[in-house]
C-alpha cells in the first residue's frame, strides 16, 4: 500500500436522531479534502449543524460511474475522501458500491466509520433470531414480482429483514400474509430514533390490523423483520419419500427434485425444498 495515496472513508450518519452522529465521524468529515454525498442539499443540513464546511460533491445512482472518473485520480494523488449517504450506512440500499470497488482495484485504503443502520437497529429490538439473518433490502415494487420473491423466501428459516416505502407498506404486508401465512411473527420498526418511533411486534394479521386502525400509522420510514420459517425435520418424511427425494437430488437441481418428489408423493414442494436447503453443505 502506497502512503502517498489518499484514504476513502465510508462514514455512517444518523437515521433520524442527530445525537447518534459519532465524534469520530464528525472529526473526519471536517478533516477530509472532499465529502461525496448522495444528495448534497440533504447533507448540507447535517454538515451545517456540526459546523463542517468541507467541499461537497454529489454521487448518486445516476452519476456514480462518471463521479468515479473524477474521484479516483484525486484519491491516487493523496486526497482523503469521505463517502456519506442521506441517512445511515452508505452502500446499505444506498449508492457507493462502484466507488468502493474501484478504490479497492486501485489498492486505495477503504476505512469504515461505523454508526447507525436501520436494519441492524430494527434487528436488535425485534427479539427474533439474530444468529443468522437475511437482508433483502427493498422487495420488487410490482405485485407479481414481489409475490414471486416472497414465495421463494417462504421456506427460508433465517430471520428476514426488508426495507419498505410507506406507500407500499400495506400491499407488501398483504403479499407477506399470502406467502408466509397470517400467523408468522413480524416486527414493524417505524421511524427509528425519531419522535414517532414505534416497534410493533405480532402475527402478520395483527400488524396489518394495527396499521389500518389508524391510517397515520402508515406514515414514516419502516423496517420489517420477519421470523424465519420453522425448520422441517427430515424424519417427518416416510423412508420411501426420503429415498425418492435423495435419489432425485443426485440427478437434478434441488428445485426440480423437490417438484418431482412432490408430484410423486403428494408431500409439499415447499417443505421438500426447505429440507433440501437445510441439508446442503
Ligand atoms: N443506508 C440506510 C441504512 O443504513 O439503513 C438505508 C437507506 S434506504 C434508501 C432507506 C430505507 O431505510 C427506508 O425506506 C426505510 O425502509 C429504512 N430506514 C431508514 N431510516 C429509518 C428509520 N429511521 N426508521 C425505520 N426505517 C428506516
Amino acid at each position: 500500500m502506497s502512503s502517498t495515496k489518499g484514504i476513502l472513508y465510508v462514514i455512517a450518519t444518523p437515521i433520524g436522531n442527530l445525537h447518534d452522529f459519532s465524534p469520530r465521524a464528525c472529526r473526519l468529515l471536517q478533516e477530509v479534502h472532499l465529502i461525496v454525498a448522495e444528495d448534497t442539499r440533504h447533507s448540507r443540513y447535517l454538515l451545517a449543524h456540526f459546523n463542517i464546511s468541507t467541499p461537497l460533491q454529489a454521487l448518486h445512482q445516476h452519476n456514480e460511474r462518471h463521479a468515479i472518473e473524477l474521484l479516483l485520480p484525486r484519491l491516487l494523488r493523496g486526497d482523503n475522501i469521505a463517502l456519506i449517504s442521506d441517512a445511515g450506512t452508505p452502500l446499505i440500499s444506498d449508492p457507493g458500491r462502484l466507488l468502493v470497488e474501484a478504490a479497492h482495484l486501485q489498492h486505495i485504503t477503504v476505512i469504515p466509520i461505523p454508526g447507525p443502520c436501520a436494519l441492524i437497529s430494527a434487528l436488535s429490538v425485534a427479539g427474533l433470531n439474530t444468529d443468522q439473518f437475511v437482508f433483502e433490502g427493498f422487495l420488487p415494487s410490482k405485485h407479481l414480482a414481489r409475490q414471486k420473491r416472497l414465495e421463494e423466501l417462504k421456506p427460508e428459516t433465517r430471520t428476514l429483514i426488508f426495507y419498505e416505502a410507506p406507500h407500499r407498506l400495506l400491499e407488501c404486508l398483504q403479499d407477506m400474509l399470502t406467502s408466509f401465512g397470517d400467523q408468522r411473527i413480524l416486527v414493524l420498526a417505524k421511524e427509528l430514533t425519531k419522535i414517532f418511533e414505534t416497534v410493533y411486534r405480532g402475527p402478520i394479521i395483527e400488524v396489518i390490523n394495527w396499521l389500518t386502525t389508524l391510517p397515520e400509522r402508515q406514515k414514516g420510514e419502516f423496517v420489517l423483520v420477519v421470523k424465519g420459517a420453522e425448520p422441517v425435520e427430515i424424519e417427518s418424511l416416510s423412508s420411501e419419500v426420503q429415498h425418492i427425494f435423495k435419489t432425485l437430488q443426485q440427478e437434478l437441481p434441488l428445485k426440480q427434485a423437490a417438484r418431482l418428489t412432490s408430484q410423486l408423493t403428494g408431500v409439499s414442494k415447499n417443505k421438500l425444498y426447505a429440507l433440501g436447503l437445510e441439508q446442503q453443505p
Side-chain angles (χ1 to χ4, degrees):
M1 236 175 307
S2 159
S3 58
T4 57
K5 287 178 189 167
I7 294 174
L8 175 63
Y9 294 97
V10 180
I11 302 186
T13 57
I15 54 170
N17 192 324
L18 293 184
H19 289 107
D20 293 335
F21 196 40
S22 82
R24 185 173 175 223
C26 186
R27 177 178 58 76
L28 277 165
L29 287 175
Q30 274 156 350
E31 287 175 5
V32 292
H33 297 92
L34 177 72
I35 298 172
V36 179
E38 186 182 0
D39 177 344
T40 49
R41 272 184 311 177
H42 180 97
S43 293
R44 254 182 245 288
Y45 167 73
L46 173 84
L47 300 176
H49 183 89
F50 289 97
N51 292 320
I52 297 167
S53 52
T54 308
L56 260 181
Q57 187 179 314
L59 180 139
H60 42 73
Q61 62 181 62
H62 304 295
N63 80 342
E64 189 164 356
R65 282 179 200 282
H66 177 66
I68 290 170
E69 286 171 21
L70 305 172
L71 296 170
L72 271 190
R74 289 194 62 167
L75 284 160
L76 289 168
R77 274 204 312 270
D79 282 358
N80 294 326
I81 295 180
L83 170 69
I84 58 174
S85 61
D86 284 355
T89 302
L91 277 80
I92 305 301
S93 294
D94 269 340
R97 207 268 291 172
L98 296 179
L99 173 62
V100 171
E101 191 174 30
H104 282 298
L105 291 174
Q106 295 293 328
H107 305 288
I108 290 162
T109 304
V110 185
I111 294 182
I113 308 299
C117 179
L119 85 98
I120 296 296
S121 306
L123 182 64
S124 72
V125 294
L128 294 173
N129 183 9
T130 53
D131 291 342
Q132 290 190 312
F133 57 88
V134 184
F135 174 54
E136 279 285 314
F138 290 93
L139 282 162
S141 55
K142 299 242 164 62
H143 167 70
L144 279 181
R146 184 169 56 230
Q147 194 72 72
K148 181 170 177 283
R149 183 68 193 132
L150 288 170
E151 277 301 311
E152 286 164 359
L153 292 170
K154 187 175 172 172
E156 175 59 66
T157 53
R158 292 169 291 182
T159 301
L160 296 151
I161 308 169
F162 304 88
Y163 284 165
E164 195 46 280
H167 61 279
R168 270 198 292 271
L169 181 63
L170 265 190
E171 43 183 291
C172 169
L173 286 171
Q174 292 290 357
D175 286 346
M176 285 184 176
L177 182 137
T178 307
S179 290
F180 300 156
D182 58 359
Q183 293 306 309
R184 187 83 81 90
I185 296 295
L186 186 144
V187 180
L188 190 74
K190 171 188 157 137
E191 292 286 273
L192 293 171
T193 79
K194 303 189 213 177
I195 296 172
F196 295 107
E197 176 176 80
T198 313
V199 177
Y200 190 92
R201 187 183 199 271
I204 295 183
I205 186 73
E206 238 179 62
V207 178
I208 293 177
N209 288 342
W210 181 79
L211 280 169
T212 45
T213 307
L214 286 178
E216 59 262 36
R217 288 179 177 159
Q218 295 161 35
K219 291 187 187 145
E221 294 196 282
F222 297 89
V223 183
L224 312 178
V225 189
V226 182
K227 189 171 194 273
E230 290 302 329
V232 192
E233 305 289 333
I234 187 83
E235 294 75 29
S236 66
L237 301 180
S238 73
S239 54
E240 189 194 347
V241 175
Q242 288 185 41
H243 176 69
I244 294 173
F245 190 34
K246 275 185 191 148
T247 311
L248 287 174
Q249 276 188 88
Q250 283 161 12
E251 303 296 328
L252 296 169
L254 176 60
K255 240 184 187 164
Q256 281 182 42
R259 185 166 46 78
L260 276 180
T261 309
S262 171
Q263 282 170 8
L264 291 167
T265 64
V267 175
S268 145
K269 179 181 67 184
N270 285 334
K271 181 175 173 177
L272 290 162
Y273 184 68
L275 260 177
L277 280 182
E278 269 172 42
Q279 290 179 324
Q280 277 177 358

